[in-house]
Amino acid sequence: MTELPHFERRFFQGDAEISQIGSGAIGGKASGLVSARSILDSVFPGRLFKKTKIYIPRMAVIACGCFDEFLELNNLRSFLSSEHSDDRIAHTFQKASLPTSILGDLRSLAQEVHVPLALRSSSLLEDRIFRPFAGVYATKMVANNQPSADQRFQKLAEALKFVWASTFFKEAREYRRAAECTDEDEKMAVIVQEIVGERHGPRFYPVISGVARSFNFYPSGRARPENGVVSLALGLGKTIVDGGICWSYSPAHPAAPPPWNSIDEQLKNTQTEFWAVNMGEISNYDPLREDEYMLRADLPAAEYDNSLRHIASTYDCAADRITPGTGREGPRLLNFAPVLTLNEPPLNPLIKLLLKGCEDALGSEVEIEFAVNINSLDPGDVRFAFLQVRPMVVSSARIEVDPLAVPAEKVLLYSEKALGNGVNRDIHDIVYIKPESFDAALTPQMALELEGINRRLLEQKRPYLLIGFGRWGSSESWLGIPVLWSQISGARAIVEAQIPGMSPDLSQGSHFFHNLTSFEVYYLSAPQTAGSTINWDLLRLQTHSEEGKLTGHVILRSPLELRVDGRSGRGIVIIHD
């Protein structure tokens, strides 16, 4: 068990940047950050890289023992023995009393700290190599700017109870079931951590949030899988981990051109909104909402805050070209060119060193989360905050995929952008979104139909191939189908078909994507190009089960054959019926 110094009731003035409240385990996420502290000290002695300060934001971990005390004190295990809605669980937890053993420590936090805080889950099961539980539990941010310590304490207590409650929400229970874990296997520690960023009126946020992976499942151009991939966004990292639009690049080729055919496509596929902590008036008090203290703002707001100068480029209409920086008038494009091509600040070299150091320390490919703030009044004041590190699952088996060796009439799909590595011959069911019924405005309804099919097939222990349009698991319904993991947890292979107007790049930094890789779910992209489109005629010839308004369900007499070669990124789906 990781040993941490006890919280001294001096959050910023104490000697320890990571301390513990209560007894017991501190969970996977907190343990990862303790390891990260040692990695930073070995890779960056003095915690500086070309004047950039590298650090782990101050945090206190409310250990799992406090969680157990809370459940026992309020007899919540009896309540949780029956199924309840997420809202009912959250409401019951809010009404419950906190253990007296932690009241003094929480009160001291509320008394001393006046900056925004994030309360992040750190369960026993989180961030393991094969089942990371990425994004399954809640993180709640609080503005923490109320005028009295009593009010700040109340908001801190509400956020803590909400994160504890998320341990038993439907999504978490379904994930545990898929991971073959029980509710009794899980306990929840909670990290209380300062949020990285700067205040701009009602908005508090970092200039850059990022997720970096040391292995790239979808390399393009000159990039190789082992070069890794980085996703960057303006504002809080919710944009990336929820599968929103962000900027992705290979650390080996940070200045490589984007995968778009025209400037018009670049402008259409750039981030236009960002997340921030709401430091202003809260119009809708609701402790049952994870984003209660968050707001979305647009790029003009960020420009007003002087936050775009290091991350944006400008479209020069007269010259019909994109130029780095915001020194001229014109539409802004968030391609992070100033930091990636001019190294001001040197973000990419720092990320490469950090990925290598984490790989060496953990002995596997890794994913890291970070935030960077560049002082709007002093550009020389740059702070790189290391927020999380978790191992990745990457298979090395050698699989051959040759589309010419299979009769064309048996190929449902051939893809040159496939994730995973291996062969599957156990799937008899294909669930798909009907192309003739597809409407981006109906994607939430599609998710609900899929949830019903997924539940029935899980009960029957029938794995299936899932086919849909746009980006799976995105929180933005206009980018694709906004499913939660629990709504498609029985899928062993997923196809992402692209259509005009809905062709986002693959979001490798999202929590949804990380769970796909950890469960070894095959993922195939089917762009609208010759040889990669889905053979819908072949699918329609198969025997259909009961259909929904927007979904279809095929049952094959013989199992399909799915082959994915992780070395080349090629995959093929063959129907033998």
Side-chain angles (χ1 to χ4, degrees):
M1 183 183 297
T2 304
E3 293 290 337
L4 292 177
H6 183 72
F7 178 60
E8 298 176 344
R9 299 191 176 182
R10 294 181 301 151
F11 190 71
F12 287 115
Q13 283 73 41
D15 295 331
E17 61 184 6
I18 303 177
S19 57
Q20 179 172 331
I21 295 173
S23 61
I26 62 172
K29 194 176 293 181
S31 295
L33 284 171
V34 172
S35 299
R37 179 176 56 185
S38 300
I39 295 170
L40 290 185
D41 289 337
S42 63
V43 178
F44 304 105
R47 302 281 188 90
L48 282 174
F49 180 77
K50 298 183 178 180
K51 299 183 180 180
T52 297
K53 179 183 178 181
I54 305 161
Y55 71 112
I56 296 172
R58 284 265 171 171
M59 57 186 262
V61 185
I62 302 173
C64 289
C66 304
F67 173 75
D68 286 335
E69 283 187 68
F70 177 73
L71 295 182
E72 294 299 328
L73 174 65
N74 297 283
N75 196 28
L76 289 172
R77 295 193 189 280
S78 175
F79 165 75
L80 293 164
S81 63
S82 302
E83 292 285 337
H84 300 287
S85 69
D86 290 356
D87 282 349
R88 175 78 186 281
I89 293 170
H91 182 69
T92 301
F93 273 56
Q94 288 299 326
K95 292 193 301 180
S97 300
L98 291 175
T100 56
S101 61
I102 66 171
L103 292 181
D105 288 335
L106 290 183
R107 180 72 190 189
S108 70
L109 269 171
Q111 187 75 42
E112 177 196 353
V113 182
H114 298 262
V115 300
L117 295 172
L119 280 84
R120 309 171 63 197
S121 65
S122 180
S123 83
L124 290 182
L125 300 177
E126 276 187 280
D127 288 359
R128 299 185 306 172
I129 185 165
F130 290 108
R131 298 291 184 264
F133 284 71
V136 171
Y137 302 122
T139 290
K140 181 140 186 176
M141 300 186 178
V142 293
N144 201 40
N145 63 340
Q146 291 78 15
S148 75
D150 287 343
Q151 291 173 308
R152 295 194 298 276
F153 173 79
Q154 179 64 31
K155 300 307 177 186
L156 193 63
E158 289 173 355
L160 173 60
K161 292 174 184 178
F162 180 81
V163 177
W164 276 341
S166 73
T167 313
F168 304 100
F169 286 173
K170 178 183 176 182
E171 177 77 0
R173 281 180 154 163
E174 290 290 343
Y175 190 101
R176 284 197 292 271
R177 189 173 296 127
E180 299 181 346
C181 299
T182 68
D183 290 352
E184 289 70 31
D185 294 328
E186 187 64 297
K187 295 180 186 293
M188 181 63 71
V190 177
I191 298 170
V192 182
Q193 189 171 40
E194 62 171 316
I195 297 176
V196 179
E198 182 178 354
R199 182 170 182 174
H200 306 274
R203 297 176 291 275
F204 186 100
Y205 60 95
V207 174
I208 301 171
S209 286
V211 174
R213 295 174 146 233
S214 61
F215 188 89
N216 183 359
F217 289 102
Y218 293 109
S220 62
R222 294 178 294 156
R224 303 297 304 160
E226 59 273 14
N227 293 152
V229 62
V230 181
S231 297
L232 302 176
L234 164 68
L236 298 172
K238 182 176 175 63
T239 297
I240 301 173
V241 300
D242 281 2
I245 290 181
C246 55
W247 183 262
S248 295
Y249 73 94
S250 167
H253 308 284
W260 308 113
N261 295 323
S262 67
I263 290 177
D264 184 56
E265 286 189 3
Q266 289 188 54
L267 292 171
K268 285 181 179 178
N269 288 278
T270 189
Q271 181 185 355
T272 57
E273 294 182 318
F274 67 98
W275 284 97
V277 178
N278 184 3
M279 305 298 289
E281 186 174 340
I282 303 297
S283 59
N284 185 19
Y285 165 72
D286 187 356
L288 308 188
R289 268 181 38 238
E290 188 172 17
D291 60 355
E292 179 186 10
Y293 289 96
M294 300 179 71
L295 59 79
R296 297 177 83 164
D298 55 19
L299 292 192
E303 182 134 30
Y304 179 82
D305 298 338
N306 197 28
S307 298
L308 297 184
R309 58 186 295 188
H310 294 281
I311 63 174
S313 293
T314 303
Y315 174 52
D316 185 340
C317 301
D320 191 31
R321 67 180 181 181
I322 301 291
T323 58
T326 58
R328 63 181 68 202
E329 296 293 325
R332 304 307 189 198
L333 171 71
L334 290 193
N335 61 1
F336 297 84
V339 296
L340 296 181
T341 61
L342 304 179
N343 280 328
E344 297 177 0
L347 178 62
N348 189 62
L350 190 159
I351 291 172
K352 290 171 67 176
L353 286 173
L354 191 53
L355 284 174
K356 180 63 167 58
C358 290
E359 274 193 320
D360 291 344
L362 272 64
S364 70
E365 287 83 359
V366 295
E367 175 181 279
I368 64 173
E369 295 182 24
F370 58 89
V372 183
N373 198 60
I374 306 170
N375 191 311
S376 60
L377 300 178
D378 179 10
D381 179 11
V382 181
R383 295 169 180 257
F384 181 101
F386 193 7
L387 302 179
Q388 193 162 346
V389 57
R390 59 169 73 94
M392 292 174 60
V393 177
V394 179
S395 172
S396 59
R398 299 181 68 84
I399 307 298
E400 296 298 330
V401 174
D402 183 3
L404 300 179
V406 182
E409 64 272 14
K410 293 188 176 184
V411 177
L412 176 64
L413 166 69
Y414 170 70
S415 172
E416 294 191 346
K417 279 201 167 184
L419 167 124
N421 196 76
V423 178
N424 188 303
R425 297 188 181 92
D426 298 324
I427 298 174
H428 286 80
D429 295 77
I430 302 175
V431 178
Y432 65 95
I433 302 297
K434 296 178 180 177
E436 65 273 14
S437 304
F438 185 81
D439 182 340
L442 300 177
T443 53
Q445 186 176 336
M446 295 171 196
L448 292 177
E449 282 194 23
L450 290 172
E451 181 177 8
I453 298 173
N454 181 72
R455 187 184 305 113
R456 291 195 298 273
L457 291 177
L458 276 176
E459 290 172 353
Q460 299 168 20
K461 296 184 178 180
R462 298 176 64 92
Y464 62 92
L465 169 71
L466 177 61
I467 302 174
F469 302 95
R471 179 184 293 169
W472 286 102
S474 173
S475 61
E476 307 284 359
S477 59
W478 54 275
L479 284 179
I481 303 173
V483 290
L484 299 173
W485 176 253
S486 62
Q487 293 175 307
I488 60 167
S489 57
R492 297 277 64 84
I494 297 176
V495 177
E496 180 177 288
Q498 297 182 1
I499 56 175
M502 189 176 279
S503 303
D505 61 318
L506 297 157
S507 181
Q508 298 192 51
S510 69
H511 286 150
F512 185 88
F513 188 93
H514 192 92
N515 288 327
L516 286 176
T517 61
S518 65
F519 274 96
E520 298 184 15
V521 175
Y522 299 101
Y523 203 74
L524 298 88
S525 175
Q528 294 294 303
T529 57
S532 292
T533 54
I534 296 166
N535 188 343
W536 293 107
D537 291 334
L538 175 59
L539 195 59
R540 293 186 185 101
L541 290 174
Q542 310 307 313
T543 302
H544 279 69
S545 178
E546 181 180 351
E547 296 190 38
K549 180 180 178 182
L550 303 170
T551 57
H553 178 195
V554 163
I555 301 177
L556 303 174
R557 292 189 300 271
S558 304
L560 60 78
E561 181 176 350
L562 171 65
R563 305 180 68 86
V564 176
D565 176 12
R567 295 170 300 152
S568 65
R570 295 185 299 176
I572 191 168
V573 180
I574 305 166
I575 292 181
H576 293 291
D577 283 0

